């Protein structure tokens, strides 16, 4: 069986299929809402800083809850948290239907951040907990492969629904998918699939402290904090750049984003298998990050490409789409970013799972992974928004690319210097 086929074969496992359903619902919603944010930016004529707040608001609430949530998942019933996250996302879609200002969008994004945290941390943790010991890379890579494929569908289908039918029908469709995932988890996932740690064995501070004593964990945490500043600029500002600068339709923006998601979904399961066989996971992380920096720096080239190439006109059910040079330039840039993520993500997740397993605290390890990202995710959109307002859009994307290269350089230097040991120190109470 081919390696991508081996990844998809995991869907025959009912529990993996249920977990994949949560990833599908979460990722499809996230990618569709990102396109909707660009429409809100145009509708309410927002500044770069306000656009940055669309991302910062989402991340800020996650930053507040991610650590205590990780400990709750480690010691509680993870299935309940997955069901709660799915139910909350349905509420979020209903709230988006009624927004009528940029302030309302920011507030609903905060609520969305809570639901996304419940699904992301819990789902990743349970996949790591129930996967066979020698196949964590395959399970996590395949789990992310489903998420990437769903995100691609969110770009294409969500972009089309926004283009053709507006906000309300789009959010109804997202609600239907999420309710379907709720049913899968309710009937197919075992009760209490995580939660192997005794609450009396260690306090939160002791567990996180023990994890941060690991040199590799410290290197990964700093890397993700810096890298996320740059990546969030791409996620939030590329659709806004496409729609407001070039007038590219939301349907075509979905195709741009789908270019990266396609390369990511096709290759991520394979790369997960590759990391299991070859090892040297930190170098997969670094290589993927450097490629991401190159793709980010290429985004402003759309300003040069626009008008250089003859436009291509495509007939759709809703009319004629005109695709100019900017579209093709942005499509190519985002495809490069998809390859970069497929190199980085499986290795990064497997490293955090492996380090967490040393202390029977995979959820706490994944929480550290998430909170390091959230710090950059809170600061990054605002920083890049300021650069966009007071310098230029080109400078904003180059600023993001520089942050990514800086993060990668520090990670490689720190990893090579620290030489993490193989033996874990015991947490008090073990």
């Amino acid at each position: 069986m081919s390696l991508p086929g081996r990844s998809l074969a995991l869907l025959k496992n009912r529990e993996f299929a249920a977990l994949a359903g949560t990833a599908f619902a979460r990722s499809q919603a996230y990618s569709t809402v990102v396109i909707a944010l660009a429409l809100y930016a145009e509708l309410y004529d927002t500044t770069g800083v306000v656009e940055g707040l669309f991302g910062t608001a989402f991340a800020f609430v996650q930053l507040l809850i991610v650590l205590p949530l990780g400990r709750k998942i480690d010691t509680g019933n993870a299935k309940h948290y997955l069901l709660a996250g799915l139910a909350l996302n349905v509420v979020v879609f209903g709230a988006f239907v009624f927004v009528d200002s940029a302030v309302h969008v920011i507030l609903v994004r905060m609520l969305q951040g809570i639901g996304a945290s419940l699904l992301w941390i819990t789902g990743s943790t349970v996949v790591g907990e129930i996967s066979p010991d020698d196949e964590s890379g395959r399970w996590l890579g395949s789990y992310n492969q489903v998420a990437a494929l769903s995100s691609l569908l969110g770009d294409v289908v969500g972009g089309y629904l926004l283009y053709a039918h507006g906000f309300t029908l789009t959010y109804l469709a997202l609600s239907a998918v999420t309710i379907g995932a709720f049913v899968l988890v309710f009937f197919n996932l075992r009760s209490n699939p995580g939660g192997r740690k005794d609450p009396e064995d260690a306090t939160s501070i002791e567990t996180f402290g023990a994890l941060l004593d690991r040199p590799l964990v410290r290197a990964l945490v700093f890397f993700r904090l810096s890298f996320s500043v740059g990546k969030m600029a791409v996620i939030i500002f590329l659709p806004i750049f496409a729609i407001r600068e070039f007038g590219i339709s939301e349907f075509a923006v979905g195709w741009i984003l789908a270019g990266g998601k396609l390369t990511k979904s096709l290759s991520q399961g394979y790369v997960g298998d590759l990391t299991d066989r070859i090892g040297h996971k930190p170098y997969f992380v670094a290589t993927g990050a450097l490629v991401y920096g190159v793709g980010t720096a290429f985004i402003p080239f759309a300003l040069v490409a626009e008008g250089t190439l003859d436009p291509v006109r495509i007939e759709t059910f809703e009319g004629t789409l005109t695709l100019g040079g900017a579209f093709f330039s942005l499509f190519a840039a985002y495809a490069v970013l998809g390859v970069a993520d497929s190199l980085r993500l499986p290795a990064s997740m497997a490293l955090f799972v492996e380090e967490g397993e040393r202390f029977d605290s995979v959820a706490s390890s994944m929480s550290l992974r998430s909170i390091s990202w959230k710090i950059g995710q809170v600061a990054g959109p605002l920083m890049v928004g300021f650069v966009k307002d007071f310098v230029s859009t080109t400078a904003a994307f180059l600023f993001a690319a520089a942050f990514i290269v800086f993060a990668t350089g520090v990670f490689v230097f720190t990893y090579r210097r620290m030489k993490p040991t193989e033996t874990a120190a015991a947490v008090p109470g073990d």
Side-chain angles (χ1 to χ4, degrees):
M1 185 182 292
S2 68
L3 288 171
R6 286 178 60 206
S7 297
L8 294 176
L10 283 174
L11 291 173
K12 295 178 182 178
N13 182 304
R14 292 179 64 185
E15 289 194 303
F16 181 83
L19 293 167
T22 69
F24 189 94
R26 169 179 54 82
S27 295
Q28 188 175 47
Y30 186 88
S31 58
T32 301
V33 169
V34 163
I35 299 175
L37 293 178
L39 297 178
Y40 291 131
E42 183 178 42
L43 181 63
Y44 302 124
D45 194 24
T46 54
T47 65
V49 172
V50 172
E51 292 158 9
L53 283 171
F54 289 168
T56 294
F58 179 86
F60 179 70
V61 294
Q62 295 183 314
L63 181 63
L64 295 180
I65 69 171
V66 67
L67 288 179
L69 179 60
R71 291 302 300 148
K72 288 287 188 181
I73 295 166
D74 268 339
T75 59
N77 191 329
K79 181 175 182 176
H80 294 167
Y81 290 101
L82 284 174
L83 294 173
L86 292 166
L88 181 57
N89 270 8
V90 174
V91 174
V92 166
F93 302 141
F96 267 127
V97 171
F98 297 103
V99 298
D100 62 5
S101 71
V103 173
H104 290 167
V105 174
I106 292 169
L107 292 175
V108 178
R109 283 283 285 171
M110 294 176 72
L111 190 62
Q112 186 189 11
I114 298 173
S117 285
L118 286 165
L119 295 179
W120 168 242
I121 298 173
T122 313
S124 300
T125 298
V126 174
V127 169
E129 291 274 16
I130 70 176
S131 63
D133 291 340
D134 60 347
E135 294 189 4
S136 64
R138 179 191 174 198
W139 276 61
L140 288 165
S142 299
Y143 175 79
N144 284 319
Q145 193 174 21
V146 171
L149 179 61
S150 169
S151 190
L152 183 154
L153 291 175
D155 293 330
V156 176
V157 178
Y160 172 76
L161 289 174
L162 288 167
Y163 169 71
H165 301 290
F167 293 118
T168 300
L169 184 61
T170 301
Y171 292 128
L172 286 174
L174 292 177
S175 297
V177 171
T178 305
I179 292 169
F182 185 99
V183 172
L184 280 176
V185 171
F186 187 84
F187 286 106
N188 292 330
L189 186 63
R190 74 187 76 168
S191 180
N192 200 21
R196 297 189 304 194
K197 190 139 182 108
D198 189 329
E200 296 181 357
D201 280 349
T203 65
S204 297
I205 294 176
E206 288 170 331
T207 302
F208 292 126
L211 286 166
L212 288 171
D213 278 342
R214 301 285 299 166
L216 181 56
V217 173
R218 292 200 301 270
L220 285 165
V221 165
F222 181 81
F223 164 76
R224 285 180 60 79
L225 191 156
S226 303
F227 180 84
S228 62
V229 170
K231 179 164 182 176
M232 284 311 301
V234 176
I235 292 174
I236 297 296
F237 288 102
L238 187 148
I240 295 173
F241 181 51
I243 288 176
R244 301 194 71 179
E245 185 73 30
F246 304 108
I248 298 174
S249 74
E250 50 268 50
F251 191 20
V253 168
W255 294 356
I256 291 170
L257 301 182
K261 307 298 174 59
L262 181 61
T263 56
K264 182 177 176 180
S265 64
L266 291 177
S267 59
Q268 195 162 222
Y270 170 77
V271 173
D273 279 318
L274 204 62
T275 59
D276 286 334
R277 296 203 315 269
I278 296 176
H280 302 293
K281 293 181 179 72
Y283 293 107
F284 278 88
V285 175
T287 301
L290 285 177
V291 174
Y292 204 98
V294 171
T296 301
F298 186 70
I299 290 172
F301 184 75
L303 293 165
V304 178
E306 183 69 1
T308 302
L309 301 176
D310 291 334
V312 175
R313 291 174 175 81
I314 298 176
E315 294 297 328
T316 72
F317 292 114
E318 304 299 326
T320 302
L321 284 179
T322 301
L323 308 177
F327 169 85
F328 294 104
S329 178
L330 292 174
F331 185 94
Y334 214 73
V336 171
L337 300 184
V339 173
D341 268 343
S342 71
L343 289 169
R344 178 183 61 84
L345 272 172
S348 172
M349 293 184 69
L351 285 170
F352 273 98
V353 168
E354 290 168 5
E355 294 297 307
E357 285 174 342
R358 297 175 183 273
F359 304 95
D360 229 6
S361 296
V362 174
S364 293
S365 180
M366 296 302 288
S367 289
L368 278 176
R369 182 178 187 272
S370 185
I371 198 169
S372 59
W373 186 269
K374 297 310 170 190
I375 294 172
Q377 195 176 2
V378 168
L382 278 179
M383 293 166 62
V384 174
F386 272 112
V387 175
K388 179 187 175 187
D389 283 344
F390 295 104
V391 184
S392 68
T393 300
T394 297
F397 283 113
L398 293 178
F399 174 79
F403 244 92
I404 292 169
V405 173
F406 168 76
T408 307
V410 172
F411 172 69
V412 172
F413 175 78
T414 304
Y415 171 70
R416 291 177 64 87
R417 289 265 313 225
M418 286 186 170
K419 302 292 185 185
T421 59
E422 295 295 326
T423 304
V427 180
D430 282 354

